[in-house]
Amino acid sequence: MSMYHEDFVVGEVIRHAVTRTVTETDNLLFTTLTMNVQPLHLDSEFAAASMYGQRIVNSVFTLGVTVGIPVQETTLGTTLGNLGFREIQFPKPVFIGDTLRVETEALDTRVSASRPTTGIVGIEHRAYNQRDELVCVVRRTALMMRRGQPVPTA
C-alpha cells in the first residue's frame, strides 16, 4: 500500500517484509553497467589481498536496494519525485551472498510552500545484513502527493 504525505508519521518505523540476497551476477552487471572497474568489486585475487579478504558489493548497488525495497510499501504511485539525498553512509561492507532487509522511518513532514497541494517528507532507510549489521543508512527528501489534492502540473 502506498502512502500519501499525510500517512507518514514522524518517528514511525516500517519494517519491510521484502528481503534481497545479493548475487555475484548483481554485483558484476551493476558494476560493469555503471563503468565502475574498481578491482575490489571485480577481481577476486585483488580483493582477497585487501582488508576485506573478498570482493565487496558496489555501494551504489547497495544504495539502490536500500531505497528500492521500501517503494512498494511507501511511495509507489504517490511520490512526485526524489528531491535529494541528505546523507548516505555505509558503516559495513556488503558481500556477495549477503541478504539485506530494510526499515524506513519518517524524519519530518511539511506541506510544500511552493506547491501547497503536495507535501515534503524526510525519510531514513536503514539496511541490515543477515547478521543484523547496519550496512547502509540513507536520508532523503521526497515530494509526495497529498490525499484528495490534484496532481500538480509542471
Side-chain angles (χ1 to χ4, degrees):
M1 177 178 100
S2 291
M3 299 170 67
Y4 289 85
H5 171 257
E6 296 83 1
D7 299 327
F8 286 91
V9 176
V10 174
E12 182 178 45
V13 177
I14 301 165
R15 288 172 179 82
H16 304 287
V18 172
T19 59
R20 178 68 153 76
T21 299
V22 181
T23 68
E24 183 168 1
T25 301
D26 294 330
N27 186 59
L28 176 65
L29 286 176
F30 189 86
T31 298
T32 55
L33 284 171
T34 58
M35 305 296 291
N36 181 343
V37 295
Q38 171 55 252
L40 281 172
H41 305 313
L42 297 172
D43 184 328
S44 293
E45 293 302 313
F46 179 91
S50 75
M51 62 189 265
Y52 307 106
Q54 61 181 306
R55 286 176 292 161
I56 60 173
V57 172
N58 185 313
S59 60
V60 180
F61 179 83
T62 301
L63 172 63
V65 170
T66 302
V67 172
I69 284 176
V71 166
Q72 289 185 34
E73 294 178 74
T74 57
T75 61
L76 184 66
T78 55
T79 187
L80 298 167
N82 189 29
L83 297 177
F85 291 102
R86 301 178 185 182
E87 184 177 356
I88 301 168
Q89 298 174 357
F90 302 102
K92 295 266 187 185
V94 172
F95 301 106
I96 293 166
D98 280 353
T99 299
L100 304 181
R101 67 176 175 82
V102 179
E103 61 186 32
T104 297
E105 180 176 351
L107 301 174
D108 50 70
T109 68
R110 65 179 175 86
V111 173
S112 171
S114 61
R115 291 187 175 101
T117 62
T118 67
I120 297 172
V121 180
I123 301 169
E124 180 174 278
H125 304 294
R126 296 181 291 268
Y128 298 86
N129 62 23
Q130 69 278 8
R131 294 176 298 280
D132 287 326
E133 297 170 327
L134 183 64
V135 297
C136 184
V137 179
V138 181
R139 288 185 174 199
R140 68 185 186 99
T141 305
L143 182 64
M144 300 298 299
M145 296 171 70
R146 290 183 64 204
R147 195 176 296 284
Q149 295 293 317
V151 177
T153 58

